[in-house]
Amino acid sequence: MTEPDRDDDLVQQDDAIIGRALRGSLLAFGAIAVIVLAAWVVLTREPPAEVVEDADIGGPQQSVSAAAPPPVQFVDITESAGIDFVHTNGAYGERLLPETMGSGAAFFDFDNDEDPDLLLVNSSDWPWQGSPSTTAALYRNRGDGTFENITAGSGLDVPLYGMGVAVGDYDGDGWRDVYLTAVGGNRLFRNEDGKGFRDVTVETSTAGGESDWGTSAAFVDYDRDGDLDLFVTNYVQWSREIDFEVDYRLTGLGRAYGPPTNYAGSDSMLLRNDGGVFADVSADTGIRVRNPATGLPMGKGLALCLLDADEDGWLDVMVANDTVQNFLFRNNGDGTFVETGAEAGVAYDNSGSATGAMGADGAWFLNDDDFAVAVGNFANEMTSFYVAQGASGLFTDEAIVSGIGPDSRRALSFGVFFFDYDLDGRPDMLQANGHVENEINTVQPSQQYEQPTQLFWNCGPDCPRIFSLVESAGDLHRPLVGRGAAYADIDADGDLDVLLTQAGRAPLLLRNDQATGHRWVRFRLEDHKGQADAIGAVVEVDAGGITQRQRVAPSRSYLSQVELPLTFGLGPHAIDAIRVTWPDREQLALPGIEPGRGYVLTRIGIDPFRNF
């Protein structure tokens, strides 16, 4: 987070100047070429038999696409779908920092019936207020997009001040397990054959430090040994006593939640899976970053993004840090990482400043080799949109030229993810917004505590600006105290529905009622040679003359996890070919298949007995 009264003046960004100059130059060259060609034709052809009027050729002009976002409505079905959860943050007037940060959610299939169930992470009352009683909530999908609350007796009904969630089959038994991050120690719950969960934190050595503030986490096979390890981001060194020592205040309001500027940083944690028991290898793998001035931990991590920045086949990890530089941990392929955020161009914004980074996600957003990482930032800071060309591993913040920057600047953004909401074959972007100060409007009239979620439609590379803010999408735009964000196809109709969490309030479950008529296909990967869900694998789909690519990496956004299956929108096109690159780089090529259903892909091809 950054100061609420941060300077509101936007400094012109270098990449915007370069981008506009480049586009203008290309258009100018095009206009000159037209003039030269016309002159050559006039000078070399026979005199015309009739008078031909010369066209008036003006200066270079940027073409404006007539394309516009299709009319798509998102409908609030929270209550009708059976979601009765309300987030508890323990706030009772002391304005303690964790109370405003919210918690996440995960869509995952815990009972292996091929539809996404829902886990909502909860915080709790503080122990000095009494005995905490609220817990996470588990909802079973009935198969039609409605849910049954099965929390009681599930094993997940354990009070803790929860923050984030990661889901993965850590023990390779075919059932997905749950890892919850928290203020004051994390928890790992083993899935007992889809019948419930058992707390195995102690026996697996996965709690982390008792004073840690765990935030986002991901199951990832970083060493490619066939089992899932755990990467966990930690926020700041916090306690109630430290909070009162910092004593952040706003004029006219008194104590306030404030930025983490005056809190000491923390290290991320990497837990290596050694046969179902985890070893903390953080110190030996290069993910501990020190402030060169103090020698203390620098990180203040809130989100992470799995990517392969240099496309060498080893998964890298980007960590979005709040008010300090972002990290990009490059995987050396030998069990170690090197932090390269500044060299790679993702550490700072275009003015060289660290941002109040909250949520993050990445995508091949133009269906070419360019890869983007979006990072949601604090109010009066644009959402960062770092773009790398191919395997260069060098990123440039293209927030302005992409179209995302100006519209995202006012918002305070938490959950961020890419998804193709209208199934046209191009990844769009959503960000959940909401301020951290309940009464921010009193001291900063341009800000509101509740803020509308923003949906950016991907117009494609031929548009002057690639992304356009969608002005009308039904209940999606309802102002919220937005925090976590996740998606899944909850009702098996092929399009992606959205879940948004709020701090201290009920979540919002939004059914996607798009009626574009666009085709789609879904894939779930099943790997019998490595970790079962093939996290890190890449699927490519050729359709309509373009190639779409997506990575199996469900941990994204802010404290949250999206469903495992990958959804590809096809527009009006048929599928020409499919390719899978498995985590060990082995490849599978398949011919076109019939769209409109979900397929299970294995190392030998499509499983003919299982569709969803």
Side-chain angles (χ1 to χ4, degrees), residues 478-512:
R478 181 182 304 168
L480 303 173
V481 189
R483 296 296 184 260
Y487 64 76
D489 180 10
I490 64 171
D491 48 7
D493 62 354
D495 56 34
L496 294 172
D497 311 294
V498 172
L499 187 284
L500 306 171
T501 71
Q502 299 193 77
R505 301 185 180 187
L508 191 67
L509 181 62
L510 297 158
R511 187 184 63 221
N512 185 342

Side-chain angles (χ1 to χ4, degrees), residues 85 387 419 534 578:
F85 175 87
V387 178
F419 74 140
I578 303 157

Side-chain angles (χ1 to χ4, degrees), residues 81 110-111 113 115-118 138-143 146-150 194-195:
F110 90 91
D111 52 4
D113 64 354
D115 55 32
D117 308 299
L118 174 62
L138 180 63
Y139 292 87
R140 175 188 285 126
N141 193 325
R142 295 188 177 100
T146 65
F147 294 84
E148 175 188 4
N149 190 332
I150 59 168
K195 300 173 183 176

Side-chain angles (χ1 to χ4, degrees), residues 33-272:
V34 170
I35 295 171
V36 172
L37 179 60
W40 181 83
V41 170
V42 169
L43 292 174
T44 56
R45 70 181 180 178
E46 293 294 326
E50 59 185 34
V51 177
V52 178
E53 295 182 0
D54 291 332
D56 181 21
I57 300 177
Q61 295 185 9
Q62 195 172 45
S63 62
V64 178
S65 171
V72 173
Q73 297 293 303
F74 285 84
V75 179
D76 178 5
I77 60 167
T78 313
E79 185 176 347
S80 61
I83 306 301
D84 54 1
F85 175 87
V86 177
H87 178 253
T88 299
N89 62 1
Y92 64 102
E94 288 191 338
R95 298 296 178 96
L96 303 176
L97 185 57
E99 298 167 355
T100 195
M101 302 305 291
S103 58
F107 282 113
F108 75 112
D109 184 7
F110 90 91
D111 52 4
N112 287 350
D113 64 354
E114 298 291 5
D115 55 32
D117 308 299
L118 174 62
L119 174 64
L120 289 158
V121 184
N122 208 352
S123 302
S124 68
D125 293 324
W126 295 110
W128 51 86
Q129 294 177 263
S131 298
S133 58
T134 54
T135 74
L138 180 63
Y139 292 87
R140 175 188 285 126
N141 193 325
R142 295 188 177 100
D144 60 358
T146 65
F147 294 84
E148 175 188 4
N149 190 332
I150 59 168
T151 307
S154 67
L156 296 175
D157 47 347
V158 177
L160 74 165
Y161 205 96
M163 296 292 296
V165 56
V167 177
D169 181 9
Y170 82 91
D171 55 359
D173 66 352
W175 300 92
R176 296 171 189 94
D177 312 297
V178 170
Y179 188 72
L180 296 181
T181 64
V183 177
N186 308 323
R187 301 286 185 91
L188 178 61
F189 297 89
R190 183 178 184 271
N191 190 331
E192 303 284 283
D193 301 334
K195 300 173 183 176
F197 293 84
R198 179 170 61 88
D199 189 337
V200 294
T201 307
V202 174
E203 63 193 77
T204 57
S205 301
T206 49
E210 291 184 0
S211 61
D212 286 350
W213 180 348
T215 51
S216 292
F219 280 101
V220 54
D221 184 9
Y222 81 95
D223 51 5
R224 283 182 16 191
D225 65 352
D227 55 25
L228 287 174
D229 313 296
L230 264 169
F231 193 104
V232 184
T233 60
N234 288 315
Y235 194 28
V236 295
Q237 295 183 29
W238 180 90
S239 68
R240 183 170 179 245
E241 291 71 28
I242 293 173
D243 204 311
F244 276 100
E245 288 176 8
V246 171
D247 199 26
Y248 183 80
R249 292 175 179 270
L250 285 174
T251 302
L253 294 182
R255 268 186 60 83
Y257 290 114
T261 312
N262 293 324
Y263 293 90
S266 296
D267 289 314
S268 294
M269 180 172 64
L270 182 58
L271 301 176
R272 187 185 64 217

Side-chain angles (χ1 to χ4, degrees), residues 59 135 139 181 221 316 329 332 348 352 377 410 418 470 501 547 577 591:
T135 74
Y139 292 87
T181 64
D221 184 9
D316 311 309
F329 294 108
N332 294 321
Y348 306 103
N377 293 318
R410 289 282 185 192
F418 291 96
V470 178
T501 71
T547 298

Side-chain angles (χ1 to χ4, degrees), residues 4-5 95 250-253 256-257 378-380 410 412 434-451 481:
D5 56 354
R95 298 296 178 96
L250 285 174
T251 302
L253 294 182
Y257 290 114
F378 202 81
N380 301 324
R410 289 282 185 192
L412 199 168
H435 212 281
V436 297
E437 297 291 349
N438 309 56
E439 302 173 72
I440 187 62
N441 185 252
T442 302
V443 295
Q444 194 172 357
S446 65
Q447 288 294 320
Q448 301 290 335
Y449 184 49
E450 298 173 327
Q451 300 180 4
V481 189

